[in-house]
Amino acid sequence: MATHPTQYAHPEALVETDWLEKHLNDEGVRIVESNEDILLYDTGHIPGAVHIDWRADLQDPVIRDYISPEKFARLCSRYGITPETTCIFYGDKANWWACYALWAFRLFGHEKVKILNGGRDKWKAEQRPMTREVPKYPETNYPVPKKRFDKEIRAFFDEALEQSKSDKPLIDVRSPGEYKGEITHMPEYPQEGVLRGGHIPGAKSMPWKTATNEDATFKPADELAKIYLDQCGVKPGTDTVVYCRIGERSSHTWFVLTYLLGLENVRNYDGSWTEWGNKVGAPIEKNA
Amino acid sequence: MYPQKLDKIINLFEMLPEDERRETLVSYADNAKKQEPREGENFDLVDVRKDEECMDTVGVYLHVDEDGKAQIRMTLGPEVQTLTRSMTAILCKGLEGSTPQEILDLASDFVTRIVGAELVRIRSQTIYYVLTRIKSVCKVYLDRQRMAQVA
């Protein structure tokens, strides 16, 4: 069996709650909260944090796609972010939506991104300062990104299909019931219109939360390696595609594979099961 | 036509700009705990359950007084989302004094007038849950009343 890493490949991609409390006012840092609960930021947030909603701010309201590079530049400018700003993302649900926002920032080429280990849950549990004051930052002039990194970190249907046909690593990070096709939505969530239940042929099941501890922090590197390298068969240097229902949970796994295990060529299939499960001609497997 | 108390709340929300609307929703959410059953209160119907559509357990407690007016109390588990907490406080206050039949007949279009188009657009799946649960309790109560009358 291969020796597993004892350190994260990019430890600089994580900040701890203790560190953040001491660096709340650092210049060149912007704290970004992103949640599933749409009003959670309004009930109180880390001092100085701005709010980015995964749907209202990052998704195009008409086309199923992300916002345009122009809109991304306007969003960053509004919050005083420049390409040199280090954005530290955190949020509810063990940073699930924070990782989604981080992934979207990477899609537009923003390089300085980090996650607050443990997210909002840990910050609150440790009774660190919260405020309802919404910060105002001088507007910047974030340049319109020249390209979107779709090819590098995003997979589309045809690429996911090719991944399946060529037997390359494909990880389904939804709940076991969704993977087996017993349900078509997550437990506790409304049905969101998928015709068929199951998974992409050849996909391995590894629910996203397997990567986290009870306190919402990430598991150590060696444990993550056992989960993804040993159990899911992911190999360094091989293309890997992760997916879930709409690409949110899988962006958490994408972060783990890319930043904590240091794997290259990991892509998030954001069309995910809401596309695959409805797509005419798309093969599925059930109950594997 | 909406019950008078609810109508006042709807009018208040419709006058607010988006940021104040959100602040007011959060303020209602902060007060959701006040809608829990109080010591000594008795209820005609209690429905406490955890549904697939909601993140945590929600309890609805219905008391109907001798004039046929409803009083609704609710309990919410810690994982229940903020918008659901807001709607809990709004509906418990707004529907106080209405009859179960009036509650059951209530058109749900007012929910979007309170929450606002933007929040409806981005979280449409969560905003009707509390109203649906309250209506469901009222329906069971009325069905039982009718059955009792027939018997």
Side-chain angles (χ1 to χ4, degrees):
Chain A
M1 185 175 286
T3 312
H4 289 317
T6 53
Q7 301 286 324
Y8 293 137
H10 297 284
E12 73 282 2
L14 288 179
V15 298
E16 300 300 326
T17 48
D18 193 40
W19 181 92
L20 187 59
E21 190 173 350
K22 291 174 187 143
H23 293 83
L24 289 176
N25 301 312
D26 279 12
E27 269 189 42
V29 166
R30 187 69 68 249
I31 306 165
V32 179
E33 177 163 335
S34 200
N35 299 315
E36 177 173 83
D37 182 335
I38 183 71
L39 292 175
L40 197 56
Y41 172 87
D42 305 74
T43 68
H45 49 265
I46 296 178
V50 298
H51 180 225
I52 289 184
D53 183 63
W54 63 278
R55 196 155 185 185
D57 294 315
L58 298 173
Q59 293 193 341
D60 187 287
V62 181
I63 302 165
R64 185 173 176 185
D65 203 351
Y66 295 93
I67 51 173
S68 65
E70 289 77 15
K71 278 191 177 167
F72 178 76
R74 280 205 294 279
L75 174 71
C76 290
S77 301
R78 189 170 86 217
Y79 289 138
I81 295 169
T82 72
E84 286 71 46
T85 305
T86 298
C87 292
I88 300 174
F89 295 87
Y90 78 100
D92 61 358
K93 312 267 176 218
N95 278 323
W96 158 7
W97 299 97
C99 288
Y100 185 77
L102 180 148
W103 178 78
F105 266 58
R106 289 292 300 116
L107 204 57
F108 290 100
H110 192 93
E111 288 180 357
K112 296 186 172 179
V113 291
K114 295 177 191 287
I115 287 285
L116 172 65
N117 202 10
R120 187 184 165 100
D121 299 337
K122 187 162 185 274
W123 184 273
K124 258 199 113 176
E126 292 169 346
Q127 298 184 320
R128 295 185 189 274
M130 301 283 277
T131 181
R132 286 192 176 185
E133 193 181 322
V134 177
K136 286 253 188 297
Y137 295 104
E139 197 161 322
T140 53
N141 189 15
Y142 197 100
V144 175
K146 289 193 172 63
K147 67 173 270 197
R148 216 167 59 178
F149 287 70
D150 283 352
K151 210 174 160 201
E152 289 81 358
I153 63 168
R154 188 180 186 193
F156 291 90
F157 173 80
D158 289 342
E159 291 154 343
L161 183 62
E162 186 51 39
Q163 192 82 1
S164 167
K165 283 180 177 169
S166 58
D167 241 0
K168 285 183 182 168
L170 197 53
I171 307 176
D172 184 320
V173 312
R174 297 173 300 159
S175 60
E178 290 171 275
Y179 177 81
K180 289 176 191 160
E182 293 162 354
I183 52 174
T184 53
H185 58 100
M186 275 179 281
E188 279 86 53
Y189 283 76
Q191 166 61 262
E192 288 183 285
V194 180
L195 288 172
R196 301 171 305 162
H199 56 266
I200 299 177
K204 295 267 169 57
S205 171
M206 189 53 71
W208 70 280
K209 224 173 173 193
T210 315
T212 64
N213 296 309
E214 279 291 303
D215 66 353
T217 56
F218 292 100
K219 284 183 177 165
D222 57 339
E223 282 187 46
L224 294 175
K226 278 179 201 159
I227 294 166
Y228 295 102
L229 306 185
D230 296 349
Q231 294 177 42
C232 295
V234 173
K235 291 182 184 68
T238 308
D239 286 350
T240 302
V241 170
V242 293
Y243 74 94
C244 56
R245 188 180 49 103
I246 55 169
E248 15 59 293
R249 284 173 284 179
S250 45
S251 49
H252 188 277
T253 306
W254 172 87
F255 177 82
V256 169
L257 296 179
T258 303
Y259 285 94
L260 304 187
L261 290 179
L263 299 171
E264 290 174 354
N265 309 324
V266 182
R267 286 174 297 158
N268 183 19
Y269 170 36
D270 61 284
S272 278
W273 197 252
T274 52
E275 178 179 52
W276 194 283
N278 285 323
K279 185 96 174 169
V280 174
I284 63 166
E285 271 180 4
K286 283 184 128 166
N287 296 317
Chain B
M1 281 295 286
Y2 302 109
Q4 205 178 3
K5 287 180 182 170
L6 183 62
D7 204 38
K8 273 189 179 174
I9 297 173
I10 297 168
N11 290 336
L12 164 74
F13 272 97
E14 285 197 313
M15 282 165 31
L16 297 174
E18 187 60 28
D19 54 343
E20 286 180 38
R21 182 196 296 270
R22 289 173 76 112
E23 271 174 35
T24 311
L25 283 169
V26 168
S27 168
Y28 269 103
D30 288 342
N31 286 307
K33 232 178 157 38
K34 290 183 184 163
Q35 306 308 324
E36 288 182 357
R38 292 160 200 181
E39 211 175 306
E41 285 184 329
N42 293 308
F43 299 97
D44 298 287
L45 206 60
V46 175
D47 174 23
V48 181
R49 62 184 144 103
K50 162 80 186 70
D51 283 325
E52 284 287 293
E53 296 94 322
C54 194
M55 303 298 296
D56 208 337
T57 303
V58 170
V60 185
Y61 304 73
L62 173 71
H63 170 68
V64 182
D65 69 17
E66 54 213 17
D67 297 324
K69 309 285 188 190
Q71 180 166 55
I72 295 149
R73 301 276 188 219
M74 290 186 70
T75 51
L76 306 172
E79 296 297 318
V80 168
Q81 296 208 356
T82 311
L83 201 47
T84 305
R85 293 180 187 282
S86 313
M87 288 311 296
T88 295
I90 289 167
L91 290 174
C92 286
K93 282 185 181 173
L95 298 177
E96 193 182 2
S98 301
T99 66
Q101 188 63 54
E102 285 167 344
I103 294 171
L104 200 57
D105 293 342
L106 201 60
S108 57
D109 57 353
F110 72 89
V111 177
T112 56
R113 293 169 62 190
I114 289 173
V115 173
E118 177 64 5
L119 288 182
V120 169
R121 183 179 74 77
I122 54 183
R123 294 292 193 280
S124 60
Q125 71 273 35
T126 58
I127 60 168
Y128 297 103
Y129 177 71
V130 179
L131 180 62
T132 306
R133 287 290 307 276
I134 291 173
K135 282 191 172 199
S136 139
V137 166
C138 290
K139 184 174 185 312
V140 172
Y141 174 82
L142 289 168
D143 286 347
R144 287 185 185 174
Q145 291 291 103
R146 282 181 201 118
M147 282 172 74
Q149 280 168 6
V150 171

